[in-house]
Amino acid sequence: MSGPVVLAVESSCDETGIAVVAGPRRIVANVVATQVAIHAATGGIVPEVAARAHLRWIVPVLDEAVTEAGVGWGDIDAIGVTYGPGLAGSLLVGINFAKALAWVHDWPLVPVNHLEGHVYAAWLQDPDEGDRPEPVFPLVALVVSGGHTFLAEMSDHLTYRLLGTTVDDAAGEAFDKVGRLLGLGYPGGPAIQRAAEDAVRRDVTFPRAWMGDSYDFSFSGLKTAARRIVAETRGAEGIAPDDPDSPLPEAMTAELAWGFQDSVVDVLATKTIRAASALGARSIVLGGGVAANAALRERLSGEAEALALPLIVPRPGLCTDNGAMIGAAAVRRFAAGDRARLDLDARPSLPLATR
Ligand code: KG4
Ligand code: ZN
C-alpha cells in the first residue's frame, strides 16, 4: 500500500460512513449505513433520530469496514474524523467514537472538514481500479449537497478561495423541498432525476436566479416559484391544493420535475464554467450529493469538454456522504501535520474557506 493507512469516520448528517484508505487516493474499504429509509418516514431528517441511528450503527459499520479491508489495528497509522459542518448530535457520535479509538490505539487524531472531504472525493480510486489522472491545479470546485452549495478555487492542495456560495437554500435542499411538493418523497434529488427522465415535453421554464455577475447562488425563489407552478397546475387540473392522496398525473409531474432540474443545472453549470474560464482553471472538480445528478454531470461534461478542461466527478456513491472522502482529505491533512487533541469539539457551522 502506498502512503499512510487511515481509518476515517463520517457521521455529520444521515449516513454513518467508515472507510480505510491507503495514501491519498486508494480506497481499501468503504462502508456506509444510510438512514434514508428512516428519514423518508418523516419526509426529512429529525436530528435526534439521526444521532441515535449513528449510535446504533457505528460499531457494526466499523466491524464491516475493517473486515472488508483485511487490516489489523496495527496496520493503521492515523484516524480521521469529520468535526464539522453538520448536525451537532450526529457529529458528536463520530467524533467521540474516533477519540476513543485514537486513545485506545494511540493513533494520531486528524480533524477533517466535511466540505473538504467532498472536494477530495475527486481524487479517490476504487480498490480494483487502475490509476486515473488526478485533478490539476489551479482548479475550480463546485460542491453541491443537501446542506451546502459553493464554488471555490484551489490553487494547491488544501488551499481554497471561496468564489461564491448560496445566500439561502442549498441546491440539495431545493431538490428535497420540491420533491416533497411534487409528492415524490424523500430524498427529492434522486426522485426528481428519475421523474425528469420520463418527461416528454421539455419546455416548462422555471426561473433562474443569476445573482448579477457574482458566483453566488440563490434557490429560495425557485422553490417559491415551484410551489406556485405546482399549485396552478393542480388548480388547472381540478385537483385539490394540498391533498397528498391526489397527485398530479405522472406525465405532468415528470415535466415539472424536468423544468425544476433544468433551472438548477443551468445555473450551477453556467457559473462553474464561467469561473473556470475566468480564472484560467486547468480542471474542474464536482462533489456533494447533487453531483450524483445525471443531468448536471452530462451538462458539465459537455461544456468542459468543449473547453478541453478535464472534469473530475466521483462516481455517485462517492458524491453522497461516505467515509472514503473523509479519508482522502485526512491523508492530506495528516501529511500536513494537522492533529486534533482529545478535547476536539463538533463545529456545526465550520466553513471551508472565507472570501
Ligand atoms: O452530500 P450529501 O449526501 O449530504 C450532505 O452533505 O448534505 O447530499 C445529500 C443531498 C440531498 O439533498 C439529495 O436530495 C441530493 O444530495 N441528491 C441528489 C441526487 N442524489 C442525491 N440531487 C439531485 N440528483 C441526484 N441524483
Ligand atoms: Zn455531505
Side-chain angles (χ1 to χ4, degrees):
M1 293 191 205
S2 56
V5 176
V6 170
L7 183 71
V9 179
E10 157 61 35
S11 73
S12 66
C13 190
D14 61 345
E15 323 277 354
T16 315
I18 298 192
V20 176
V21 297
R25 304 196 66 188
R26 183 65 60 190
I27 299 174
V28 183
N30 186 29
V31 178
V32 179
T34 177
Q35 304 175 9
V36 160
I38 298 173
H39 302 306
T42 41
I45 298 169
V46 177
E48 188 183 329
V49 173
R52 284 169 187 258
H54 286 302
L55 209 49
R56 163 71 183 82
W57 287 105
I58 203 158
V59 173
V61 170
L62 173 72
D63 281 345
E64 197 178 322
V66 293
T67 303
E68 201 180 302
V71 293
W73 301 126
D75 300 322
I76 291 166
D77 299 303
I79 182 161
V81 64
T82 305
Y83 73 113
L87 302 167
S90 289
L91 288 165
L92 289 173
V93 175
I95 293 171
N96 226 19
F97 189 66
K99 279 185 192 181
L101 287 167
W103 186 68
V104 167
H105 297 290
D106 205 18
W107 292 331
L109 178 64
V110 182
V112 177
N113 183 316
H114 180 82
L115 304 174
E116 186 161 76
H118 276 306
V119 173
Y120 271 94
W123 272 263
L124 286 170
Q125 300 184 136
D126 280 312
D128 46 11
E129 189 184 350
D131 279 341
R132 232 184 323 122
E134 54 184 335
V136 189
F137 300 113
L139 62 80
V140 163
L142 172 70
V143 173
V144 271
S145 74
H148 302 273
T149 296
F150 65 84
L151 259 176
E153 181 188 25
M154 272 180 98
S155 50
D156 201 349
H157 283 298
L158 311 178
T159 313
Y160 309 91
R161 184 166 69 95
L162 190 67
L163 300 172
T165 182
T166 179
V167 299
D168 41 57
D169 293 347
E173 202 176 346
F175 268 100
D176 292 337
K177 287 177 179 168
V178 172
R180 207 171 304 144
L181 269 175
L182 290 172
L184 292 170
Y186 175 86
I192 287 183
Q193 177 183 318
R194 276 193 301 274
E197 278 160 10
D198 293 335
V200 177
R201 279 186 49 191
R202 300 189 165 193
D203 55 3
V204 189
T205 309
F206 280 66
R208 278 104 165 113
W210 291 112
M211 310 295 286
D213 290 338
S214 80
Y215 294 119
D216 285 333
F217 302 94
S218 166
F219 295 106
S220 75
L222 175 59
K223 185 186 65 194
T224 310
R227 188 174 303 129
R228 180 179 45 77
I229 293 169
V230 170
E232 282 170 8
T233 312
R234 289 178 76 93
E237 290 296 302
I239 303 171
D242 286 318
D243 181 1
D245 295 327
S246 311
L248 279 169
E250 247 173 64
M252 280 181 179
T253 303
E255 282 163 19
L256 296 183
W258 182 89
F260 164 78
Q261 177 176 271
D262 189 52
S263 167
V264 177
V265 167
D266 191 18
V267 173
L268 292 175
T270 302
K271 292 205 178 210
T272 303
I273 294 293
R274 181 154 58 81
S277 306
L279 299 169
R282 296 178 61 207
S283 58
I284 297 174
V285 159
L286 185 57
V290 180
N293 185 270
L296 178 62
R297 297 164 79 98
E298 206 173 297
R299 164 88 181 254
L300 267 175
S301 81
E303 297 197 2
E305 202 181 318
L307 294 171
L309 265 177
L311 169 76
I312 299 98
V313 196
R315 64 177 167 82
L318 296 174
C319 288
T320 48
D321 292 349
N322 65 87
M325 70 184 209
I326 301 306
V331 170
R332 305 276 177 189
R333 288 284 167 194
F334 181 58
D338 281 19
R339 304 286 184 272
R341 298 189 323 191
L342 290 179
D343 62 358
L344 176 68
D345 198 358
R347 293 274 311 274
S349 307
L350 182 69
L352 179 63
T354 45
R355 262 187 258 233

